[in-house]
Structures are given as C-alpha cells and as structure tokens.
Amino acid sequence: MSIKRSVITLAVFSSFLYFCGCGSKQDKETNENKQLPGTVNFGRLSDYSPGMLEITDSLRLEESENVMLGAITQCQIVENSVYLLDYQKSRVLASYSLEDGSLQNYKVAGGDGPGELLWPYSFDVDNQNGFFYILDKMQGKMLRYSLSDWSFVEDIALPVGDVRSFTALDDERFLYYVHGQADDVEVGKNQIVTADTKGHLLSAMFPDPGSGKISMGAKGVFSKTAEGMLFVPYFSNQEYLVSPDTITLAHTYEWGNAPIVPLDFFPEEIPETLPFVEHLMNENYVRTVQVFHAGNTVAACYWIKKQQYVSFFNSQTGRALNCKVTDEFPVPVAVYEDKIVGAVMDDEGGITLYFYRYK
C-alpha cells in the first residue's frame, strides 16, 4: 500500500481534539484496575493529553459529478479498494483506490430492473469468492455483483421482510440481523438468522430483548476480526461472538458519563415511532453503538441526545479516551490492518480518510 503521507501534524490534530472536548483517563491504576474481564470502561470526559492519537497516513478521495456523497453510511476496506455507501442522500455505493483515492466504480439507485437499485441500505464485500452484495430494502431483496467488473449476477432472496444488516459467510450462506415477528413460525422473535441464497432458513437465535421494534442503529453491525465475527445489537452495549449456530457474549462497553438505554424504556407496544424516537433523543442515554477493532485499539462511536461521541481504549496500555465529535474530527468508519480509519467531510462534499492508532 502506498497512501499519500498525511500533511496534518499530530500537533494540529491534537488541537482539534482539544477544542472538541476530548478526554482521557490518565490515571493508570483507575484504567487498569476497573477493567473486568471482557468489559471495557471508557470512563468520563476529562482533560486530553496531546500525542495519544498517532496519524500515520491520509487519503483524499476523488470528487466526481457522477458520485456526490452526502454522508457515509458504511465503509469497508478490502485489498486495495475503499468501499463507501451513502444510503441517505445520494443512495450510491462507490469504490476508490487505496493507492491514490481515484474513483474506480459505483452503483447508483434509480431503477427496479435486473441489477438495478431503488434504495441500497447495506452492503458486504466477499473478496474470497469474488462478489459483493447490496441489500435493497425497498425491493425487499439482496443483489449479488461480480467484484471484478461490478456486473450483476443474481438476486438473493431474504428470509424475512425486515432485514437491518447482513454479512456473507460464503457464496451460499448469509448471516442476517432482522426484526423477528412473533407470528413467523420459523424465525419467531429471533434477531439473528442464517439463510441460503433462496431465503431458506438454516438457523435462528438471539431472541429480541424488547428493543427490536425500533430500527435505529448502524447499517453494518457485523465485523470480521481476528477474534471472529462480532456483532453489536441496536440499543446495546454488549458485543457478541457469532457463528452460524451459536452466539456468545464477548465484550461489554461502559461509560462514566451516561448509561445504555435500559430495556424497560421500550414499551410493549409503540404506536407512533417518531414521537418515541424524539423522546429517546432527549434522554441522557448512550445509543447506536458501533465498535471497531484494530490491533490493541477498540474504538466505539455512539450518541447521547443529539451529540455524537467517539471512545478509544488501548488494551495494552489500559488507557481510555472520550471525544465529542465536531466537523474536523475523523470519525471511525472502518479498520485497515492495525489502524482505525476515520473520515472527514468538508463543506463541498469532499472526503479525506485518516489512518491512525490510539497509543
């Protein structure tokens, strides 16, 4: 890999964090002794010490009239390409060269014919078998494309109607995060299912704890790590190790400044979703947790009320860092090797990726 060397110095980046209201648990005893096995306590916001984040590289992505990203919904870096999905504004999946940031390929929503998309909601790249997949929620199906030339291959049937995220186990089996239904004989209220290309159910597990009625979380809840396939449910601070047949608790994340949304916050029936979501966003609860693992670093993005935060933990040093997100802060979107990949979008819609470690 030959990414353009970052022109932003650590001193400049540290000033960004200072004005963002970032914090670090500096006390070694506090950080190490309060960590229970499998539990990461990020602590509270406090003073930030410069130099704790080490930026190694940056990559400016090519701007194009054909691909104008308004937001980053999901990102994956596979081999020598960066894949970005914007499902809210431009409704496009695009790939860029990891070498120089040039635009390689893209799929834009705009039709319901063979291989066309109406609303790309989530995606996954299966480099081993040479495919990538896009979940189109509006059409209620998943589409398989060739990774080599982005040509359409076939439609993949979904096991249930409300699929929120997925990952390809191989070219025949898929792991889905769904909203289960009590009247579904096979799936029931389970939220993790495995199915084949025809939508036939192979397994179902992880019963809805009570929060499954609200779809409000990351579009990519599965992450392939050295530890295995990890999964964080919506409205949860717990991360699970998941396989086609089993799911076990792997990690629990805690914060000193706010608790996770309690399950009794979700009523048995939610007649009007929008008022409930507005009520939720006014409460001092941690929600929409997305976790990234890179080497010794764990990065967690989350929201409290209408403010986004990022927390870091280094398992080797035992130190933690909390940051309020501002426009200049490279919010984690992916992992590359042992580095977190953060993105910054400028006012004109341009995107720069920063590759960094938490020391």
Side-chain angles (χ1 to χ4, degrees), residues 147-200:
L147 197 56
S148 60
D149 59 4
W150 284 50
S151 60
F152 173 64
V153 178
E154 63 176 339
D155 290 337
I156 305 293
L158 300 178
V160 297
D162 191 356
V163 173
R164 294 161 180 197
S165 186
F166 76 97
T167 188
L169 296 172
D170 49 46
D171 59 348
E172 295 291 334
R173 299 176 305 153
F174 305 90
L175 198 63
Y176 296 96
Y177 179 43
V178 307
H179 177 206
Q181 301 290 334
D183 57 357
D184 190 311
V185 177
E186 292 184 303
V187 175
K189 288 191 174 182
N190 288 299
Q191 292 189 294
I192 297 292
V193 300
T194 308
D196 62 16
T197 57
K198 305 300 181 183
H200 299 146

Side-chain angles (χ1 to χ4, degrees), residues 152-280:
F152 173 64
V153 178
E154 63 176 339
D155 290 337
I156 305 293
L158 300 178
V160 297
D162 191 356
V163 173
R164 294 161 180 197
S165 186
F166 76 97
T167 188
L169 296 172
D170 49 46
D171 59 348
E172 295 291 334
R173 299 176 305 153
F174 305 90
L175 198 63
Y176 296 96
Y177 179 43
V178 307
H179 177 206
Q181 301 290 334
D183 57 357
D184 190 311
V185 177
E186 292 184 303
V187 175
K189 288 191 174 182
N190 288 299
Q191 292 189 294
I192 297 292
V193 300
T194 308
D196 62 16
T197 57
K198 305 300 181 183
H200 299 146
L201 187 71
L202 303 177
S203 66
M205 52 193 172
F206 196 72
D208 179 7
S211 58
K213 307 174 190 70
I214 302 297
S215 179
M216 193 176 175
K219 302 301 178 283
V221 300
F222 299 104
S223 56
K224 301 168 186 176
T225 71
E227 190 175 355
M229 184 75 72
L230 294 175
F231 153 71
V232 180
Y234 291 175
F235 303 108
S236 176
N237 62 332
Q238 296 183 319
E239 188 171 38
Y240 295 85
L241 188 63
V242 59
S243 75
D245 313 290
T246 61
I247 183 166
T248 56
L249 180 62
H251 311 284
T252 299
Y253 301 101
E254 299 176 349
W255 290 266
N257 54 317
I260 197 73
V261 184
L263 291 179
D264 59 11
F265 185 84
F266 300 91
E268 192 67 28
E269 297 293 333
I270 303 177
E272 295 184 64
T273 302
L274 185 57
F276 177 82
V277 170
E278 290 176 347
H279 175 46
L280 174 62

Side-chain angles (χ1 to χ4, degrees), residues 61-339:
L61 302 183
E62 178 186 355
E63 298 179 49
S64 168
E65 294 182 358
N66 296 322
V67 178
M68 300 182 67
L69 297 174
I72 298 176
T73 304
Q74 192 179 347
C75 176
Q76 289 185 18
I77 299 181
V78 182
E79 293 293 335
N80 294 314
S81 296
V82 178
Y83 298 84
L84 288 176
L85 172 67
D86 175 4
Y87 113 99
Q88 287 184 313
K89 296 184 179 180
S90 59
R91 287 188 277 176
V92 60
L93 174 69
S95 69
Y96 300 84
S97 168
L98 190 61
E99 180 73 20
D100 58 10
S102 59
L103 179 65
Q104 296 175 323
N105 258 313
Y106 59 92
K107 290 284 182 185
V108 179
D112 58 1
E116 294 182 330
L117 301 164
L118 285 176
W119 204 298
Y121 188 77
S122 182
F123 79 95
D124 190 36
V125 177
D126 178 12
N127 183 61
Q128 184 174 356
N129 292 294
F131 301 109
F132 71 91
Y133 302 86
I134 302 178
L135 171 64
D136 189 329
K137 281 187 74 81
M138 189 169 290
Q139 295 193 76
K141 64 182 179 182
M142 190 162 64
L143 297 88
R144 188 203 302 255
Y145 300 91
S146 169
L147 197 56
S148 60
D149 59 4
W150 284 50
S151 60
F152 173 64
V153 178
E154 63 176 339
D155 290 337
I156 305 293
L158 300 178
V160 297
D162 191 356
V163 173
R164 294 161 180 197
S165 186
F166 76 97
T167 188
L169 296 172
D170 49 46
D171 59 348
E172 295 291 334
R173 299 176 305 153
F174 305 90
L175 198 63
Y176 296 96
Y177 179 43
V178 307
H179 177 206
Q181 301 290 334
D183 57 357
D184 190 311
V185 177
E186 292 184 303
V187 175
K189 288 191 174 182
N190 288 299
Q191 292 189 294
I192 297 292
V193 300
T194 308
D196 62 16
T197 57
K198 305 300 181 183
H200 299 146
L201 187 71
L202 303 177
S203 66
M205 52 193 172
F206 196 72
D208 179 7
S211 58
K213 307 174 190 70
I214 302 297
S215 179
M216 193 176 175
K219 302 301 178 283
V221 300
F222 299 104
S223 56
K224 301 168 186 176
T225 71
E227 190 175 355
M229 184 75 72
L230 294 175
F231 153 71
V232 180
Y234 291 175
F235 303 108
S236 176
N237 62 332
Q238 296 183 319
E239 188 171 38
Y240 295 85
L241 188 63
V242 59
S243 75
D245 313 290
T246 61
I247 183 166
T248 56
L249 180 62
H251 311 284
T252 299
Y253 301 101
E254 299 176 349
W255 290 266
N257 54 317
I260 197 73
V261 184
L263 291 179
D264 59 11
F265 185 84
F266 300 91
E268 192 67 28
E269 297 293 333
I270 303 177
E272 295 184 64
T273 302
L274 185 57
F276 177 82
V277 170
E278 290 176 347
H279 175 46
L280 174 62
M281 293 178 68
N282 287 321
E283 295 291 330
N284 194 42
Y285 292 133
V286 171
R287 69 179 192 279
T288 316
V289 178
Q290 186 173 16
V291 182
F292 302 88
H293 296 263
N296 296 321
T297 300
V298 174
C301 300
Y302 62 100
W303 291 79
I304 299 177
K305 295 185 177 180
K306 297 181 180 180
Q307 175 65 54
Q308 188 178 18
Y309 297 80
V310 179
S311 298
F312 298 94
F313 177 73
N314 187 308
S315 60
Q316 189 173 41
T317 64
R319 293 191 296 186
L321 171 69
N322 291 329
C323 302
K324 287 183 180 180
V325 171
T326 67
D327 292 340
E328 298 87 2
F329 186 82
V331 180
V333 294
V335 168
Y336 181 72
E337 296 177 342
D338 64 339
K339 293 178 281 291

